[in-house]
Amino acid sequence: MQFFIDTANIDDIREAFSWGIIDGVTTNPSLIAREGGDFIQRIADICEIVEGPVSAETVSQDAEGMIREGRLLAKISEHIVVKVPLTTEGLKATKVLSGEGIDCNVTLCFQPMQALIAAKAGAAYISPFLGRLDDISTDGVGLIEQIVQIYSNYPELNTKVLSASIRHPMHLTQVALAGSHVATIPYGVLKKLVNHPLTDSGNARFLKDWESVPDNNITAQVERWLAARDS
Ligand code: E4P
């Protein structure tokens, strides 16, 4: 499963990317508004750091406007994926932009047939929002399972399932088991993926035991050993 980071915060993107686990980035107008500053420069900076798919969302509500904005956004970098909402206008824009070779991420998907029609329109990615479904007592992970199953029934569809609105590590385990191609993850959730109390206590124990080893400077030992071997 590919990991995208769901933020427009440059520091968080840079840090998570340095861990070697980030394949792309998703942004949306709310995330961009939270950071402030120049939207276009921010998107360009993100593309420089990640060099993978970077979703930038259009804000026009008519297909013509989405297509115009999408074509312009795509000029920023070859990594841009144009994000459009799952509306009839968004479908029209997806058909035109994907026909021009511009990848589209169709967002705000909440039921399986929305995912199927987005794929038929040529979406490169479909973004089902599982956390927002869970918020209203509906099974978000179940939606991912259904979309993955429907897409796999029709291998001619080339749309990737991009699980969005992830709230916690269990969501990631569940969508990975469901076969989601991608998950887009807030930085706070990414940090939680690393942590386990047994990792911390195990590491502390190894360090403590290592202190009792005589001559326990690994660098000096290896350098001495290599020098002896190569002399
Ligand atoms: C996806 O691309 C969206 O940016 C995001 O996952 C929305 O998540 P939220 O429900 O936490 O706002």
Side-chain angles (χ1 to χ4, degrees), residues 36 60 67 92 109 124 135 145 176 179 181-182 190 192 203 205 210 229-230:
S60 285
I67 293 165
K92 290 182 208 171
C109 170
D135 290 345
E145 289 167 348
H181 304 100
V182 191
L190 274 174
K192 288 183 189 164
N203 198 32
R205 175 69 185 270
W210 184 246
R229 186 196 64 182
D230 298 336

Side-chain angles (χ1 to χ4, degrees), residues 135-201:
D135 290 345
I136 57 162
S137 306
T138 304
D139 182 9
V141 172
L143 173 63
I144 304 298
E145 289 167 348
Q146 288 178 323
I147 297 172
V148 169
Q149 175 67 58
I150 289 169
Y151 281 5
S152 70
N153 288 348
Y154 302 101
E156 67 274 18
L157 299 174
N158 284 318
T159 308
K160 288 184 174 161
V161 180
L162 196 174
S163 297
S165 189
I166 297 282
R167 299 272 197 262
H168 48 71
M170 277 302 292
H171 269 159
L172 285 167
T173 305
Q174 290 165 318
V175 301
L177 285 169
S180 185
H181 304 100
V182 191
T184 189
I185 311 159
Y187 182 61
V189 177
L190 274 174
K191 281 198 295 186
K192 288 183 189 164
L193 300 182
V194 184
N195 296 330
H196 195 285
L198 290 177
T199 305
D200 295 340
S201 60

Side-chain angles (χ1 to χ4, degrees), residues 8-197:
N9 183 287
I10 297 285
D11 292 339
D12 290 351
I13 292 169
R14 211 185 292 281
E15 172 61 20
F17 186 67
S18 74
W19 303 350
I21 62 167
I22 296 300
D23 303 295
V25 178
T26 53
T27 66
N28 64 38
S30 307
L31 294 171
I32 294 281
R34 190 179 299 165
E35 300 304 326
D38 180 337
F39 162 48
I40 301 304
Q41 188 56 53
R42 184 171 293 275
I43 292 290
D45 292 345
I46 293 171
C47 290
E48 289 272 306
I49 298 168
V50 174
E51 293 187 356
V54 174
S55 288
E57 193 154 343
T58 57
V59 288
S60 285
Q61 294 302 299
D62 61 306
E64 201 184 318
M66 289 179 203
I67 293 165
R68 187 180 55 249
E69 290 172 7
R71 284 177 181 149
L72 286 169
L73 288 168
K75 287 185 201 286
I76 297 174
S77 160
E78 59 184 342
H79 300 301
I80 290 291
V81 174
V82 175
K83 212 168 168 188
V84 299
L86 215 161
T87 59
T88 49
E89 296 303 297
L91 292 173
K92 290 182 208 171
T94 299
K95 183 171 161 51
V96 172
L97 291 170
S98 65
E100 295 174 6
I102 296 172
D103 282 350
C104 293
N105 173 358
V106 180
T107 189
L108 292 165
C109 170
F110 293 96
Q111 54 101 335
M113 282 306 104
Q114 287 182 312
L116 185 53
I117 58 177
K120 288 176 73 70
Y125 298 93
I126 183 70
S127 288
F129 279 31
L130 64 145
R132 291 193 194 183
L133 280 172
D134 286 2
D135 290 345
I136 57 162
S137 306
T138 304
D139 182 9
V141 172
L143 173 63
I144 304 298
E145 289 167 348
Q146 288 178 323
I147 297 172
V148 169
Q149 175 67 58
I150 289 169
Y151 281 5
S152 70
N153 288 348
Y154 302 101
E156 67 274 18
L157 299 174
N158 284 318
T159 308
K160 288 184 174 161
V161 180
L162 196 174
S163 297
S165 189
I166 297 282
R167 299 272 197 262
H168 48 71
M170 277 302 292
H171 269 159
L172 285 167
T173 305
Q174 290 165 318
V175 301
L177 285 169
S180 185
H181 304 100
V182 191
T184 189
I185 311 159
Y187 182 61
V189 177
L190 274 174
K191 281 198 295 186
K192 288 183 189 164
L193 300 182
V194 184
N195 296 330
H196 195 285

